[in-house]
Amino acid sequence: MRIFPARKTRTTRIGSLRTESWAARLGGKLSRGDVSLRLAICFVFLVAVVIGIAGWRSPFPHRLGDDAPNGILAQIDFKRVNRRKTELAQLERENKVPPIFRYTEEGAQQLRGLPRELRNQLFEFVTVKEFSEISADTRAAFGWINSGANATFAPLPEFVAAWQQWRDAIGPADTAELKIDEFIGEFTQFFAPPRKTGVLDPNDLTQVDLRPETEILVISKDGEDQNQTLKVSDLLLTEMLKGTGTLGGQWKSFTVLKPFQGQLERWLQNRVQPTLTYDDVATNLKKNEEKWNTPEVTDEYKRGSLLVAPGTVLDEEILGILRAQYDAAERQVPFFERGVRLGTILALLVVLGVMNGYHLIRNEPRLASNVGRLTVYLAAITVTTILGRWLSFDPWRAEAVPILCVAMILAVAYNQVLAALTGFSMTLVVTLANGRSVGEFVVLMSAVAASIVPLNQVSNRMKLVKVGFWAAVAYLLVTWGVTIVESQQLGRLWTDQQLLATSFQGAGWCFLTGFLVSGGLPFIEKMFGVVTDISLLELSDVSHPLLQELVQRAPGTYSHSNGVATISETAADAIGANGLLCRVGAYYHDVGKMLKPQYFVENMVAGQISRHESLNPAMSALVIIGHVKDGVELARQHNIPEPLIDFIEQHHGTTLVEYFFHAATRQAESKPDHRFEVQESTYRYPGPKPQTREAAVLMVADAVEGASRTLAEPTPKRIETLVHEIALKRLLDGQFDECSLTLGELAIVEDSLTKSLIGIHHGRIKYPEQKTA
């Protein structure tokens, strides 16, 4: 039997050190509910992107003004509706539609009453003895009215002669009825055509733009089967009475009326009223009916035929041909191939999402671990990608607007690295979704880079407008450069009007983003839960109501906060953190002390007895710890942004209130039977621990600023030792475990705080007493 165990081999020792496999670790993480929730949210937005960019369809890559240096051949046989020819055919059929006129009942009754009216007037001719006895209406009907200078004198002899001619033809009164009946019989036959077809109003010729040879459709009052298509000349009374008209050509057939041709024509012109009226509604309906019934004119293209000649710049007509080929090809894609394409797009997005997710987990834990912030971030990317896809078509060509807006917002809200990575991802997806070239990707990415690089700090709103301007300049110059490289034609810059219009349009959209982001900063801060430098500068104003209240209630705390702000800003800047955020956070970090200022040593005057003398250590610790909760409530009442409230919550982390803990321990030790009743957790702040480098810097600065005031002789060496001990104590207590502060950065913070405190507590030369005069 072995006395000593067998010696382990090297392989056995290494095997005993192996940890669980990556699959086991992944399964453990996925089993957590919060991780599953975040993954589900990512998947939902991923599907939304696929649907938004129509991932099952191949993109239409052509745009107005694009260059086709190698030409484009037809890939399939297809037909295209020729819109221009179709519109011409529709216009031709519309023009063939005759204007539609309808009978008016009032005019028709007047035409039917003309023979009776003429009969009465002829009887009047033989019954009167003198011309002057003829009624005014009858004389007006026959045109026997003096005009001009003769209007008030005796009737003209020719009027009297015409009247006498009628009397002679009719004969004596006792036989006049038979003769008049003969006149009226012939007149009724003579005037039958106008009564059947109707009479047009001459004013309609100009209103409807009619000519004598124009044909019109007359809608009969007896039904559609009686409708007639007639020429305008057949319906105008003046044209009818001409020698070639329907009335003027038949005078010879009416021997009784022939001697009175001139007088009857004048009588008809004075008495006949139009019986046809133009029907605008019916005419337009008929034209629309003909327009929509016009068959479309199509052009046929065979596979391999030349659609676009080499070197041609795409115009609207060519784009229409290419779009028709694209639509025809899409209709031929089977369902299986669409599924394959959809799966491929989804896989590509998953790969891109995994890379971005890895960056978020490693470098942006606040964003990756917070469901609300992650949802807003993914929603912004999804909306941007969808808008970038659909705004890329003519005539907008505005895909740069949503991409640049989100990139600038992320640079302001988080950091430039995250903004650049997200901007790259969005630009890549939008470019692929639109089927655009590498040159288009380069142009968009250059504008994104130009909008992110200057945004390391935003001290005023005008800077965002300037960034938009420089993004526009970058877009313009890179567009021209890419065009020259791709086409090898330098002259296009001043000869291609479409290129100039498109490039300046895109630059204008880039310039617009600066105004959009500048105007939307308050909403951006609220949505992303961040605070910009502009808001920080506004909150740093000493006239802020909360700071004014702190000055009045707790002046010692206010002085302490100013000291912490000064040294923490310098320390934060030294490690590349946000010094301005650290300074403003320091202004507000102890505002909770104003509710019980006398319980804090900085607000006590010399010789004053501490109120803690009358309290037990547990109660004193409760008062001290309570200033964190009170500060959070006050900050929220005054609408202080959440990032500053985080400083209030985290500037003590979960540190121990050592003075009162040790006092409680001494009390417990003095009573042996109760020495274990002191719980350390009772004397610790509730936290959380610092989540950012800025909060960690403020924690150390707050501690060392207060502790340095207790030094009787603040020499540089003592200050350096004090700062190091406090920082080391916070480190060993695990207060920096949840933030990204490194040991190297902590050393830099110590050095900066030491120098700042040495400068504050530097010695002065004692001046000799001033002699009295």
Side-chain angles (χ1 to χ4, degrees):
M1 184 178 72
R2 289 180 179 270
I3 299 177
F4 299 101
R7 183 177 181 180
K8 294 182 179 180
T9 64
R10 181 181 182 87
T11 304
T12 305
R13 291 197 303 271
I14 294 176
S16 64
L17 297 176
R18 287 178 181 173
T19 58
E20 58 182 348
S21 65
W22 66 268
R25 292 197 304 271
L26 179 62
K29 290 181 180 286
L30 293 179
S31 63
R32 293 168 50 188
D34 58 333
V35 175
S36 300
L37 176 61
R38 292 196 293 273
L39 288 176
I41 293 173
C42 294
F43 180 76
V44 169
F45 282 110
L46 190 67
V47 173
V49 170
V50 174
I51 296 175
I53 65 176
W56 58 90
R57 293 170 59 93
S58 60
F60 180 68
H62 306 292
R63 299 292 186 272
L64 190 66
D66 287 353
D67 185 31
N70 301 319
I72 301 176
L73 300 177
Q75 303 298 317
I76 59 172
D77 296 338
F78 68 97
K79 294 181 180 180
R80 171 185 174 255
V81 176
N82 192 316
R83 296 298 178 188
R84 186 175 61 84
K85 292 182 180 179
T86 301
E87 289 174 359
L88 291 176
Q90 290 174 342
L91 183 62
E92 183 179 357
R93 292 193 62 166
E94 283 185 43
N95 292 335
K96 289 183 179 180
V97 174
I100 297 177
F101 286 79
R102 294 184 181 275
Y103 276 99
T104 61
E105 187 60 30
E106 181 182 355
Q109 290 179 1
Q110 197 268 343
L111 284 188
R112 290 194 296 269
L114 285 180
R116 182 172 62 256
E117 183 180 352
L118 180 59
R119 180 186 182 87
N120 293 336
Q121 292 174 354
L122 292 181
F123 269 113
E124 185 181 358
F125 287 165
V126 298
T127 56
V128 298
K129 302 299 183 181
E130 297 293 337
F131 181 85
S132 60
E133 297 178 5
I134 301 174
S135 65
D137 290 342
T138 302
R139 280 183 290 173
F142 282 90
W144 297 340
I145 298 177
N146 295 346
S147 59
N150 300 321
T152 58
F153 293 96
L156 297 177
E158 55 265 29
F159 297 164
V160 179
W163 168 62
Q164 191 61 46
Q165 182 183 4
W166 279 106
R167 287 174 60 87
D168 294 342
I170 296 173
D174 53 351
T175 61
E177 185 173 359
L178 295 176
K179 193 63 178 176
I180 289 174
D181 288 341
E182 186 179 359
F183 270 107
I184 297 304
E186 283 198 0
F187 177 80
T188 302
Q189 294 180 4
F190 171 79
F191 200 67
R195 290 173 60 186
K196 181 179 180 182
T197 59
V199 179
L200 273 178
D201 187 351
N203 294 328
D204 287 341
L205 293 179
T206 56
Q207 180 183 353
V208 192
D209 192 19
L210 298 177
R211 297 180 181 180
E213 65 274 9
T214 304
E215 290 186 345
I216 66 172
L217 178 63
V218 178
I219 304 297
S220 173
K221 58 182 178 298
D222 299 327
E224 293 187 1
D225 55 336
Q226 300 296 324
N227 296 346
Q228 305 177 73
T229 301
L230 303 170
K231 290 184 178 181
V232 171
S233 58
D234 295 336
L235 300 172
L236 283 174
L237 185 60
T238 55
E239 297 293 330
M240 294 182 192
L241 294 174
K242 290 181 179 180
T244 57
T246 55
L247 296 180
Q250 59 179 351
W251 282 113
K252 296 179 181 179
S253 303
F254 299 94
T255 56
V256 176
L257 299 178
K258 175 62 178 171
F260 302 94
Q261 176 181 349
Q263 297 186 53
L264 287 175
E265 288 181 350
R266 188 162 54 250
W267 185 84
L268 288 171
Q269 291 175 352
N270 291 331
R271 300 305 299 163
V272 173
Q273 296 180 2
T275 62
L276 300 177
T277 181
Y278 177 63
D279 191 338
D280 183 62
V281 175
T283 303
N284 289 332
L285 287 176
K286 186 65 177 176
K287 287 185 176 181
N288 287 333
E289 180 182 352
E290 289 296 322
K291 176 182 178 180
W292 296 118
N293 289 335
T294 302
E296 293 180 331
V297 181
T298 59
D299 297 332
E300 294 187 6
Y301 299 88
K302 297 296 183 181
R303 180 178 181 181
S305 60
L306 183 64
L307 299 181
V308 182
T312 303
V313 177
L314 304 186
D315 56 18
E316 292 184 0
E317 179 67 19
I318 297 176
L319 275 180
I321 297 174
L322 297 176
R323 170 64 73 173
Q325 178 184 231
Y326 168 79
D327 293 337
E330 280 297 312
R331 287 192 294 269
Q332 297 177 10
V333 176
F335 181 79
F336 173 76
E337 291 186 11
R338 290 193 186 279
V340 172
R341 173 177 173 78
L342 188 62
T344 303
I345 294 296
L346 189 60
L348 291 175
L349 290 177
V350 167
V351 172
L352 194 60
V354 167
M355 291 190 296
N356 282 268
Y358 180 78
H359 172 79
L360 292 180
I361 294 172
R362 292 295 301 271
N363 302 287
E364 302 292 338
R366 288 189 305 150
L367 177 58
S369 60
N370 188 291
V371 174
R373 291 181 178 178
L374 181 63
T375 301
V376 173
Y377 173 73
L378 294 175
I381 294 177
T382 302
V383 173
T384 298
T385 304
I386 296 174
L387 285 179
R389 156 77 167 152
W390 296 108
L391 288 178
S392 67
F393 296 104
D394 296 306
W396 292 98
R397 305 290 289 275
E399 62 271 24
V401 173
I403 296 177
L404 263 64
C405 280
V406 171
M408 293 171 66
I409 288 171
L410 292 177
V412 171
Y414 293 103
N415 56 70
Q416 293 168 294
V417 176
L418 177 63
L421 181 61
T422 307
F424 170 82
S425 302
M426 293 187 300
T427 303
L428 182 61
V429 173
V430 170
T431 304
L432 293 176
N434 292 327
R436 303 295 286 164
S437 63
V438 176
E440 183 76 13
F441 173 79
V442 171
V443 171
L444 285 176
M445 199 60 219
S446 64
V448 170
S451 66
I452 293 176
V453 171
L455 290 179
N456 58 334
Q457 188 175 11
V458 182
S459 57
N460 56 72
R461 299 181 189 274
M462 192 61 193
K463 183 170 185 178
L464 294 170
V465 178
K466 293 178 180 178
V467 168
F469 171 77
W470 289 115
V473 172
Y475 184 97
L476 194 66
L477 296 178
V478 176
T479 299
W480 291 349
V482 169
T483 301
I484 294 174
V485 171
E486 290 181 346
S487 64
Q488 300 295 322
Q489 297 177 11
L490 181 61
R492 285 193 62 187
L493 293 184
W494 51 82
T495 59
D496 191 342
Q497 300 298 323
Q498 184 61 45
L499 170 64
L500 294 176
T502 303
S503 58
F504 277 105
Q505 181 186 22
W509 289 124
C510 294
F511 188 38
L512 177 64
T513 58
F515 291 94
L516 293 177
V517 177
S518 176
L521 269 183
F523 306 100
I524 295 168
E525 293 180 357
K526 191 70 175 178
M527 181 179 297
F528 286 87
V530 297
V531 58
T532 63
D533 290 350
I534 299 172
S535 297
L536 288 175
L537 290 173
E538 294 172 352
L539 290 167
S540 66
D541 188 354
V542 71
S543 63
H544 191 281
L546 189 57
L547 294 180
Q548 283 294 302
E549 195 171 353
L550 179 63
V551 171
Q552 296 172 7
R553 292 191 176 190
T557 300
Y558 178 75
S559 176
H560 161 70
S561 298
N562 280 332
V564 174
T566 301
I567 63 176
S568 62
E569 181 181 19
T570 306
D573 287 337
I575 62 173
N578 192 336
L580 179 60
L581 176 62
C582 211
R583 172 163 64 90
V584 180
Y587 288 151
Y588 293 89
H589 80 285
D590 270 344
V591 292
K593 291 182 178 180
M594 74 170 68
L595 299 183
K596 300 181 181 70
Q598 294 80 13
Y599 287 89
F600 298 92
V601 65
E602 67 265 23
N603 297 310
M604 296 173 59
V605 298
Q608 182 180 357
I609 300 176
S610 173
R611 294 193 176 188
H612 293 287
E613 297 293 336
S614 60
L615 300 177
N616 62 51
M619 183 58 68
S620 295
L622 187 62
V623 173
I624 297 298
I625 293 172
H627 86 277
V628 173
K629 181 181 178 182
D630 294 338
V632 171
E633 292 178 355
L634 284 172
R636 290 200 169 121
Q637 289 174 8
H638 288 78
N639 297 318
I640 302 299
E642 284 296 326
L644 295 183
I645 295 178
D646 291 342
F647 282 98
I648 301 176
E649 290 181 319
Q650 301 169 19
H651 76 280
H652 283 298
T654 59
T655 55
L656 183 67
V657 184
E658 296 182 12
Y659 180 85
F660 294 108
F661 173 73
H662 293 317
T665 302
R666 287 193 298 271
Q667 286 185 0
E669 288 176 348
S670 64
K671 300 176 181 179
D673 54 330
H674 297 289
R675 69 176 298 171
F676 297 108
E677 291 182 359
V678 178
Q679 298 292 328
E680 182 177 307
S681 60
T682 307
Y683 294 84
R684 282 191 176 272
Y685 284 91
K689 296 177 180 179
Q691 304 294 305
T692 62
R693 294 188 300 169
E694 290 82 4
V697 170
L698 181 62
M699 170 182 278
V700 180
D702 180 41
V704 301
E705 199 281 336
S708 66
R709 294 172 181 266
T710 65
L711 295 175
E713 295 183 7
T715 62
K717 186 61 178 176
R718 288 183 177 180
I719 291 175
E720 181 181 0
T721 302
L722 175 69
V723 171
H724 179 69
E725 288 178 352
I726 291 176
L728 184 61
K729 183 181 294 184
R730 296 294 185 271
L731 177 65
L732 296 178
D733 196 24
Q735 298 301 315
F736 305 140
D737 291 350
E738 298 179 10
C739 66
S740 58
L741 186 70
T742 64
L743 291 176
E745 290 173 340
L746 181 59
I748 296 174
V749 169
E750 288 183 31
D751 183 62
S752 174
L753 293 175
T754 301
K755 291 179 180 178
S756 297
L757 290 174
I758 291 173
I760 293 174
H761 297 284
H762 69 280
R764 290 183 176 272
I765 298 175
K766 184 176 181 180
Y767 293 95
E769 293 182 359
Q770 185 178 7
K771 295 181 180 181
T772 59

